[in-house]
Amino acid sequence: MSEQQYDHLSIEPKWQSVWDSSPDLYKASVEDSRPKYFVVEMLPYPSGKLHMGHVRNYSIGDTLARYMWMRGYNVLHPMGWDAFGLPAENAALKSGRPPRDWTVSNIATMKGQLKRLGFSYDWDREISTCEPDYYRWNQWFFLRMYEKGLAYRKNSRVNWCTICATVLANEQVVNGCCWRHETTPVIQKEIEQWFFRITQYADELVDGLKDLDPGWPERVRAMQENWIGRSDGTEVDFRLEGTNEPIRVFTTRVDTIFGASCVILAPEHPLTAGLTAAEQQAELKRILEDQSRKDPAEIEKEGFFTGHYAVNPYSGEKVPVWVGNFVLANYGTGAIMAVPAHDERDFEFCSKYGIPIVPVIRPVDGVLPEVATEAFTEYGIAEKAGQFSGLPSAEAREKMSHFAEQNDFGKATITYRLRDWGVSRQRYWGTPIPIIHCEKCGVVPVPDDQLPVVLPDSVNITGEGRSPLESVPEFINVACPRCGSAARRESDTMDTFVDSSWYFYRYCDPKNEQRPFDPAVAKHWFPMDQYIGGITHAILHLLYSRYWTKVMRDIGLIENNEPAANLFTQGMVLGTDGTAMSKSKGNVVDPDLMVQKYGADTCRLFTLFAAPPDRDMEWNESSVEGQFRFLNRVYRFITRNINVEREGTSQGGRQALRKLHQTIGKVTGDFDNRWHFNTSIAALMELLNELTSLEEKIPGDITQQVISAYVKLLAPFAPFISQELWELMSGSGQILRQDWPVTDPALAAEDELEVPVQINGKVRSRVVVPIGTSREDLEKAALAEEKIRVALEGKQV
RNA sequence: GCCCGGGUGGCGAAAUCGGCAGACGCAACGGACUUAAAAUCCGUUUUCCAGCAAUGGGAGUGCGGGUUCAAGUCCCGCCCCGGGCACCA
């Protein structure tokens, strides 16, 4: 066969249509005897079109999935749609198009794009979270959590985005603004909300991170640990002088308590209002208002003395009770003891108001200062601490906590930064919360056999701050399942992060109508062997799904403690200006245009070649053309060598075989160890360079064995061209079904080696010796070199 | 402030366990083919000095020290960039 030109526009649609009509090609089965491999890429939100970040994410996952198929694994590689969410409602407001229509048509568009890119998904397992057969299980889980006390309702101050007109979870507030409207400050609003008790699992969520080492990136584990914010400390009661009422404070430094010079209450602390003198009520009101209005970082510390005193239970000393705007009501106990000599914030506050500053911790190799000019916040030795004087901080903390417990005025305790997950949303396009409010019975859960509570289709979206569902009488008005009298449905919907917290479990049994999934099937597939997605989900989605897994385990559905054994977070795709692609900056690259111009293979190859997959990469069209040229060269090279049938015994043939086996080793190693696909592709380029130059030297000595292995090595990265070449070569079959080439170390070994000769770390010369040369012979060879004798001092290989 | 990343040619990057720094690609320049262009192919390309040349010599992986026969890689002390958390007591 003579050389042919590469035409992606005919090759790619052809194979896409073949693959589309091959029902079993990407199918995984529980009955399969081969080892399982479950790889999931984070499912997209159907916003309209794929962006390059998706292409990169899915190219990484697909390359891996194809490699694992060829390695003989039973690969489960599914895809779905995170289909509920606000943009659908915004689109409805803008264009009048119902959220469902908008979403469904976006899904159709994006599914077409995924197919054009050649991703190997088993579409029979496709899920879409906005369909009742999916979200009914959100409702089912909600009811199970309600039964276990893990879902509860409370009146609370919540984050409210004025643009979204809905409540936001703490995780959705970024720099005091909505995560979707980054310049609009979130305000605080008091509302009845449903919460999931994620704090009940706080300990396990922290401790479990250890088991995810090294499967999950250090960065993600650190961020989660940070977010949960576990801190070990002590709770201590200071008693109010007169009434003897306890004011409980939380501290991580009970060893400094002999230096406590006041107790400070949060403005919202339950005792604050009662203790505040009449003339200071106005002051308190102003502080409270400032707090809900201003950015916390900009508020200066301020407060006032209540006129009351409390007693330090360790020293018996009487200290004033203050109210301070910097004390957080919802952390710890909402009250602190101020130890200005050993805490920077307390130092600032007490200096401002002339409250005494008493050092009680000295540096291990220093003395206790008379006067503190700044806060000494490190550990040291406790002084002026009665029976605890002379103890190092750590030991003092332990002994003093124990003392509090024995004397019944406190205890060692653990506090978390993590808050319960607020899941109510005053929006339409989400999972209805399966609860009915009855005047007689109160909160009544919808019985299981009445699930799903179906989201009605024709609803007027107003964008105003009330759930649109309230204006749908046939939805809202319902008979109480318990007493039968007229009642109202809950009109809020669930946070969309609920949808994505367990979706990957549904993949393994997507059509189950009795349960979310069959536990036996989930047991076969879980935990996921590999989960791949953006670092942006390091906290939100990944923390929620870890929580959900633990809840499902405690319900008895699964046995695994964590959803994914391995997590990979890929870097972002940046525009040519080095910043994130965004419509407003006009640096967005459309995958469709790239696929049309260069083909899916080129597009995939570039996203893998431009940088290691965990790092950010910049889009660069010249560099894309480089990948396109490479595929052209591959195509021409293989097609012109396709009929060659030689043993390859010449020097050139052996050299080709050696380079081939080195490349197999290199590419396989990249897959198995570190996923630096950029170097895998570079190795394939090197191999092609070597083969083309050998081809000129010894025409016709490129063997079948070499070209067929070449095409197999390329297949996970560029599936269309590889399949086409495979067909031209063998006449039939799917390259995905071929075995991955195995490297033969004997063939890969060089028989001569150029050894650099270094003297004092500088390369002075090189000697070429046969492989296996002894050390003595090597030295002899080196010494025979003129330059070496001249420069000789010490030497090493 | 605390916790993670990262810093290597004109650019993206490579060097996986301390052993030839810059693989592979882009861009640029020179050449072949062509009436011409595109495509393709060949060559040069870290930098400085010497030489007509083959070549030889020096410097070089953010900065300053250290360990080692040998450091982009390990240790100590800094600087800069990106990300996360942050009155969390």
Side-chain angles (χ1 to χ4, degrees):
Chain A
M1 191 182 296
S2 58
E3 176 176 310
Q4 292 177 28
Q5 291 303 310
Y6 171 55
D7 178 13
H8 69 275
L9 287 174
S10 74
I11 292 172
E12 295 189 353
K14 169 182 152 195
W15 287 110
Q16 187 203 315
S17 116
V18 171
W19 292 338
D20 235 10
S21 52
S22 309
D24 294 330
L25 188 58
Y26 303 134
K27 200 141 282 167
S29 156
V30 238
E31 271 91 52
D32 201 306
S33 60
R34 294 174 296 177
K36 67 103 182 176
Y37 191 78
F38 186 14
V39 52
V40 179
E41 296 112 56
M42 290 181 187
L43 84 182
Y45 177 77
S47 55
K49 278 180 150 192
L50 292 183
H51 54 68
M52 277 303 169
H54 291 127
V55 176
R56 189 182 194 194
N57 187 172
Y58 305 151
S59 295
I60 294 166
D62 195 58
T63 297
L64 183 69
R66 288 177 179 276
Y67 168 74
M68 294 308 277
W69 276 117
M70 293 180 78
R71 286 293 300 264
Y73 284 81
N74 177 31
V75 178
L76 177 52
H77 188 214
M79 186 40 79
W81 308 97
D82 188 16
F84 271 140
L86 216 38
E89 280 182 72
N90 294 340
L93 279 172
K94 223 166 142 188
S95 68
R97 209 164 161 206
R100 170 167 293 278
D101 281 10
W102 184 83
T103 305
V104 167
S105 91
N106 286 348
I107 288 175
T109 305
M110 291 167 78
K111 190 170 173 180
Q113 291 183 294
L114 292 177
K115 287 187 172 182
R116 273 198 292 290
L117 283 157
F119 297 132
S120 61
Y121 301 123
D122 177 358
W123 287 107
D124 282 350
R125 294 176 184 267
E126 177 180 8
I127 57 153
S128 176
T129 61
C130 69
E131 299 303 334
D133 62 4
Y134 181 82
Y135 68 68
R136 70 174 293 177
W137 302 112
N138 285 345
Q139 297 171 338
W140 186 88
F141 280 120
F142 186 99
L143 295 171
R144 300 293 84 78
M145 292 211 223
Y146 181 74
E147 286 160 8
K148 289 178 77 84
L150 288 171
Y152 67 99
R153 192 168 155 84
K154 75 172 178 193
N155 213 349
S156 81
R157 281 175 66 142
V158 290
N159 308 301
W160 182 270
C161 172
T162 51
I163 299 183
C164 300
T166 187
V167 168
L168 301 174
N170 290 329
E171 288 80 354
Q172 291 162 345
V173 178
V174 181
N175 294 327
C177 294
C178 171
W179 65 304
R180 301 191 36 80
H181 302 101
E182 292 179 13
T183 53
T184 308
V186 163
I187 63 166
Q188 300 295 307
K189 209 167 170 174
E190 184 105 10
I191 288 188
E192 278 255 65
Q193 298 290 318
W194 285 97
F195 287 85
F196 286 157
R197 217 180 285 279
I198 191 170
T199 52
Q200 186 167 315
Y201 288 85
D203 259 322
E204 214 201 328
L205 287 167
V206 179
D207 293 339
L209 292 171
K210 287 190 213 80
D211 304 328
L212 295 175
D213 184 11
W216 286 37
E218 160 76 22
R219 184 157 166 227
V220 172
R221 285 182 284 118
M223 279 164 74
Q224 292 210 356
E225 189 164 357
N226 231 328
W227 184 261
I228 297 166
R230 176 160 70 187
S231 96
D232 278 299
T234 313
E235 285 182 4
V236 178
D237 291 334
F238 281 65
R239 282 182 188 273
L240 270 173
E241 198 186 34
T243 67
N244 229 20
E245 190 171 359
I247 300 176
R248 177 153 282 214
V249 303
F250 173 76
T251 177
T252 54
R253 291 297 303 274
V254 70
D255 56 306
T256 67
I257 200 167
F258 284 86
S261 45
C262 64
V263 165
I264 310 177
L265 302 174
E268 307 94 323
H269 192 281
L271 292 174
T272 301
L275 293 178
T276 303
E279 63 270 24
Q280 279 167 333
Q281 291 291 349
E283 172 85 354
L284 175 61
K285 200 173 163 223
R286 191 186 55 73
I287 288 177
L288 279 168
E289 276 170 9
D290 269 9
Q291 244 177 2
S292 59
R293 217 170 345 155
K294 286 191 189 163
D295 179 357
E298 282 164 22
I299 297 178
E300 200 193 327
K301 287 187 184 49
E302 57 175 342
F304 56 84
F305 174 44
T306 61
H308 297 268
Y309 290 86
V311 177
N312 182 333
Y314 287 91
S315 64
E317 194 186 352
K318 194 176 87 169
V319 295
V321 177
W322 283 66
V323 173
N325 66 344
F326 69 102
V327 179
L328 302 173
N330 56 3
Y331 181 79
T333 59
I336 62 162
M337 61 171 191
V339 185
H342 303 292
D343 180 281
E344 274 163 26
R345 295 149 303 177
D346 297 348
F347 186 87
E348 189 187 335
F349 187 83
C350 293
S351 301
K352 176 171 176 177
Y353 292 106
I355 300 165
I357 300 171
V358 187
V360 293
I361 302 287
R362 67 166 171 87
V364 175
D365 50 1
V367 293
L368 192 70
E370 279 299 306
V371 187
T373 53
E374 58 176 0
F376 173 70
T377 58
E378 284 157 50
Y379 273 15
I381 308 294
E383 296 289 353
K384 298 185 180 170
Q387 56 175 300
F388 306 105
S389 292
L391 293 179
S393 290
E395 199 182 334
R397 281 181 50 185
E398 200 179 304
K399 293 221 160 111
M400 291 169 78
S401 295
H402 187 64
F403 182 80
E405 199 155 355
Q406 277 180 326
N407 292 278
D408 208 25
F409 63 77
K411 60 171 189 201
T413 187
I414 296 168
T415 297
Y416 302 89
R417 213 191 71 99
L418 183 71
R419 299 275 161 277
D420 277 340
W421 174 12
V423 293
S424 297
R425 296 291 179 273
Q426 291 68 48
R427 306 299 309 195
Y428 160 68
W429 192 234
T431 304
I433 293 175
I435 289 290
I436 290 164
H437 299 280
C438 170
E439 276 186 29
K440 288 185 209 149
C441 312
V443 170
V444 181
V446 172
D448 277 7
D449 60 14
Q450 290 175 27
L451 297 183
V453 176
V454 176
L455 186 68
D457 265 337
S458 39
V459 171
N460 188 29
I461 312 286
T462 62
E464 284 156 20
R466 277 176 45 229
S467 172
L469 288 175
E470 282 181 21
S471 61
V472 184
E474 57 276 26
F475 177 83
I476 283 292
N477 299 320
V478 66
C480 169
R482 206 164 284 167
C483 72
S485 54
R488 288 173 64 81
R489 277 194 199 282
E490 170 76 53
S491 60
D492 285 354
T493 53
M494 295 183 206
D495 182 2
T496 56
F497 279 97
V498 168
D499 308 331
S500 53
S501 288
W502 66 281
Y503 74 98
F504 26 69
Y505 288 93
R506 185 71 180 169
Y507 282 143
C508 60
D509 194 11
K511 304 209 163 66
N512 198 320
E513 289 179 5
Q514 312 306 316
R515 288 180 286 191
F517 50 84
D518 180 345
V521 176
K523 192 181 172 185
H524 180 263
W525 292 108
F526 273 85
M528 288 183 276
D529 296 280
Q530 190 64 60
Y531 195 30
I532 308 171
I535 186 74
T536 44
H537 299 102
I539 297 175
L540 289 160
H541 163 58
L542 290 170
L543 189 64
Y544 293 148
S545 18
R546 292 183 62 221
Y547 163 67
W548 209 277
T549 287
K550 290 169 200 306
V551 171
M552 292 198 308
R553 179 202 58 199
D554 292 348
I555 291 172
L557 274 176
I558 52 171
E559 292 172 25
N560 49 302
N561 293 317
E562 296 285 349
N566 297 290
L567 171 73
F568 189 88
T569 51
Q570 94 271 6
M572 286 191 299
V573 181
L574 307 174
T576 36
D577 56 352
T579 62
M581 286 190 187
S582 82
K583 279 181 195 153
S584 60
K585 275 181 259 170
N587 59 355
V588 177
V589 178
D590 182 351
D592 278 350
L593 295 180
M594 291 297 130
V595 169
Q596 176 67 26
K597 193 165 171 190
Y598 303 107
D601 281 337
T602 296
C603 206
R604 294 172 57 139
L605 216 50
F606 175 72
T607 65
L608 298 174
F609 179 76
D614 54 339
R615 249 196 271 174
D616 289 353
M617 57 167 274
E618 272 176 41
W619 192 264
N620 177 333
E621 194 159 336
S622 299
S623 196
V624 175
E625 283 175 22
Q627 303 308 304
F628 186 61
R629 280 201 281 269
F630 165 59
L631 290 181
N632 275 280
R633 293 212 299 131
V634 170
Y635 197 82
R636 291 196 306 268
F637 173 77
I638 303 283
T639 51
R640 73 176 171 259
N641 284 287
I642 215 152
N643 289 333
V644 172
E645 195 67 73
R646 284 277 194 97
E647 280 305 306
T649 49
S650 69
Q651 178 62 21
R654 280 200 300 278
Q655 217 169 314
L657 212 52
R658 179 187 306 132
K659 186 72 180 176
L660 171 70
H661 279 271
Q662 288 171 349
T663 307
I664 297 171
K666 163 74 186 154
V667 175
T668 307
D670 278 342
F671 271 112
D672 293 347
N673 303 325
R674 57 174 203 171
W675 294 16
H676 280 204
F677 300 134
N678 53 330
T679 61
S680 314
I681 294 165
L684 289 170
M685 289 173 170
E686 277 187 70
L687 176 56
L688 183 69
N689 292 346
E690 175 102 5
L691 293 178
T692 30
S693 78
L694 286 172
E695 185 190 18
E696 281 165 28
K697 284 186 215 154
I698 34 129
D701 210 10
I702 302 297
T703 61
Q704 272 298 322
Q705 187 193 357
V706 171
I707 60 170
S708 100
Y710 193 93
V711 172
K712 287 183 196 170
L713 289 174
L714 184 65
F717 305 98
F720 289 107
I721 190 176
S722 310
Q723 177 59 45
E724 174 73 10
L725 291 170
W726 182 256
E727 194 197 36
L728 292 174
M729 218 180 303
S730 67
S732 66
Q734 288 295 324
I735 195 158
L736 189 71
R737 295 277 180 264
Q738 306 308 312
D739 289 335
W740 185 253
V742 177
T743 186
D744 179 342
L747 288 174
E750 301 281 354
D751 37 45
E752 273 186 346
L753 190 62
E754 191 187 60
V755 181
V757 181
Q758 298 181 7
I759 294 169
N760 289 341
K762 292 259 183 248
V763 179
R764 292 295 163 179
S765 179
R766 284 145 218 259
V767 290
V768 178
V769 295
I771 219 81
T773 304
S774 71
R775 193 183 175 82
E776 291 74 32
D777 288 345
L778 189 58
E779 281 182 23
K780 226 176 276 174
L783 287 167
E785 286 279 314
E786 181 65 25
K787 288 177 220 144
I788 298 303
R789 268 188 313 228
V790 172
L792 188 70
E793 256 174 275
K795 83 142 259 297
Q796 251 297 332
V797 187

